[in-house]
Amino acid sequence: MGDTQRRTAVKDANSVPPGRVRAWISALGLQMTVVVLAQVAYGLTLARQLGPLSTGRALLTAALFVPESIGRRLINDYDDYRRGVDRPDNARPGSALALGLSMERVRVVGLTCFATSVVALAYLLATTSAASLLVLPFAFVILIYSGGPSPLGHRGLGELVDFLLTGCLVVGVVVWVNAQQLTLAAVLGAVAAGFLFAATMFHNDLRDVAEDLRAGKRTLAHALSERAAKAWYVVLMAGPYPCVALVAVEFGSLRYAAPLLTLPYAAYLTVGVLRSRLGGTMPSWFHLPRLLAVFFALFVLAGWI
């Protein structure tokens, strides 16, 4: 989206201020929260194949990722405001700033949500094994990915963090605290999620390559040539599919390969990116959360029906 369109969107948002509750609901980024819940259900489905689940632990696992997802979204919005990526005269439509919210309050709510999720995670880890608490510091790596004095997301490490932590680690932790074991199938399932979240971040960075550069935010998209960036995009989009196929082999049932049904959609998006110039003319980022949600949902349906 160009500067003129962004200013118009912000002007429109300011001319007809939404109700306070509606503004907060919009700022929470519930679309990605739904994706994260689908990811947790995906992890629980993997865990279910390894042993019986405790209903209470499974529900707490799902519940803790709601404030975690919301907290990361709000902290990211605050950090973009503080660093000038979002400005009052040129804010991303749908961001907390564009919605007219107090950015200090956004920061407090974001940190509170994140802290709540960390407490719940600490409980689940501690009641699995004392050694499991060694995972806890990685939660703060996710936090400094968006915020802090030197955000990892502003140093070209966003995709790596999303692959290892937002994707692989989250699924691995869900399986571990509910099944108390990790198998090859669980690891492959976690790697598939890592590819999906890295692709989501990379798509966003490719679309915002010019805006991020003007704001002094350097991402992986700035470190690669256009040809290399598109080749890397193909790798990230293709990566989940052999992983989930191998999960089906490990579980000895073709039904666990159900996410392969999303392959045509992933191919459609990939072709669209290959034919586009990097930037705002690329396919919309909103395709990626839909792809993730359907990928995870198909696996969950296959495992529980």
Side-chain angles (χ1 to χ4, degrees), residues 241-256:
Y241 296 99
C243 292
V244 79
L246 289 172
V247 169
V249 172
E250 286 294 311
F251 285 156
S253 176
L254 185 61
R255 73 178 190 272
Y256 291 103

Side-chain angles (χ1 to χ4, degrees), residues 20 23-24 27-28 70-79 81 95-97 99-113:
R20 188 64 55 186
W24 274 103
L28 296 182
I70 291 171
R72 276 194 293 130
R73 163 70 181 239
L74 295 178
I75 292 167
N76 181 70
D77 274 8
Y78 175 79
D79 192 68
Y81 158 74
S95 67
L97 182 63
L99 291 165
L101 298 177
S102 163
M103 297 309 293
E104 283 303 319
R105 188 166 297 174
V106 165
R107 175 175 177 269
V108 170
V109 173
L111 289 173
T112 301
C113 286

Side-chain angles (χ1 to χ4, degrees), residues 138-153:
F138 288 103
F140 296 96
V141 175
I142 293 176
L143 183 62
I144 64 173
Y145 154 56
S146 298
S150 184
L152 298 177

Side-chain angles (χ1 to χ4, degrees), residues 22-302:
R22 287 179 56 198
W24 274 103
I25 290 173
S26 296
L28 296 182
L30 296 182
Q31 182 179 29
M32 282 308 296
T33 301
V34 170
V35 171
V36 170
L37 286 175
Q39 179 192 16
V40 173
Y42 169 82
L44 289 171
T45 304
L46 287 166
R48 182 171 179 258
Q49 311 314 309
L50 308 181
L53 299 181
S54 161
T55 301
R57 290 182 72 84
L59 290 175
L60 180 58
T61 304
L64 81 86
F65 281 101
V66 174
E68 189 273 340
S69 175
I70 291 171
R72 276 194 293 130
R73 163 70 181 239
L74 295 178
I75 292 167
N76 181 70
D77 274 8
Y78 175 79
D79 192 68
D80 281 349
Y81 158 74
R82 186 173 65 86
R83 293 180 177 278
V85 177
D86 276 347
R87 302 188 305 275
D89 63 332
N90 188 20
R92 291 170 296 116
S95 67
L97 182 63
L99 291 165
L101 298 177
S102 163
M103 297 309 293
E104 283 303 319
R105 188 166 297 174
V106 165
R107 175 175 177 269
V108 170
V109 173
L111 289 173
T112 301
C113 286
F114 197 84
T116 300
S117 70
V118 168
V119 170
L121 176 60
Y123 168 79
L124 287 172
L125 291 170
T127 53
T128 301
S129 71
S132 299
L133 288 169
L134 294 174
V135 171
L136 203 56
F138 288 103
F140 296 96
V141 175
I142 293 176
L143 183 62
I144 64 173
Y145 154 56
S146 298
S150 184
L152 298 177
H154 293 200
R155 297 167 61 186
L157 297 174
E159 285 74 15
L160 180 62
V161 172
D162 268 345
F163 180 85
L164 293 176
L165 302 186
T166 312
C168 295
L169 185 66
V170 166
V171 172
V173 165
V174 170
V175 174
W176 176 248
V177 300
N178 285 278
Q180 288 80 51
Q181 60 176 310
L182 289 174
T183 63
L184 177 58
V187 172
L188 288 167
V191 171
F195 275 117
L196 289 166
F197 278 95
T200 301
M201 171 55 64
F202 195 46
H203 191 105
N204 181 70
D205 286 346
L206 292 177
R207 278 185 59 88
D208 292 346
V209 63
E211 290 85 349
D212 286 345
L213 190 60
R214 283 197 294 268
K217 177 180 177 180
R218 297 195 64 84
T219 65
L220 180 60
H222 298 117
L224 301 174
S225 67
E226 182 166 333
R227 177 176 294 182
K230 289 182 175 181
W232 190 233
Y233 187 88
V234 171
V235 170
L236 293 178
M237 290 293 279
Y241 296 99
C243 292
V244 79
L246 289 172
V247 169
V249 172
E250 286 294 311
F251 285 156
S253 176
L254 185 61
R255 73 178 190 272
Y256 291 103
L260 292 176
L261 294 173
T262 65
L263 187 53
Y265 190 18
Y268 163 75
L269 293 177
T270 302
V271 170
V273 170
L274 294 178
R275 291 179 174 176
S276 303
R277 293 186 60 82
L278 301 186
T281 61
M282 286 172 50
S284 170
W285 174 84
F286 289 102
H287 287 292
L288 275 298
R290 294 168 193 158
L291 175 64
L292 267 68
V294 176
F295 185 100
F296 293 140
L298 286 172
F299 188 88
V300 172
L301 288 173

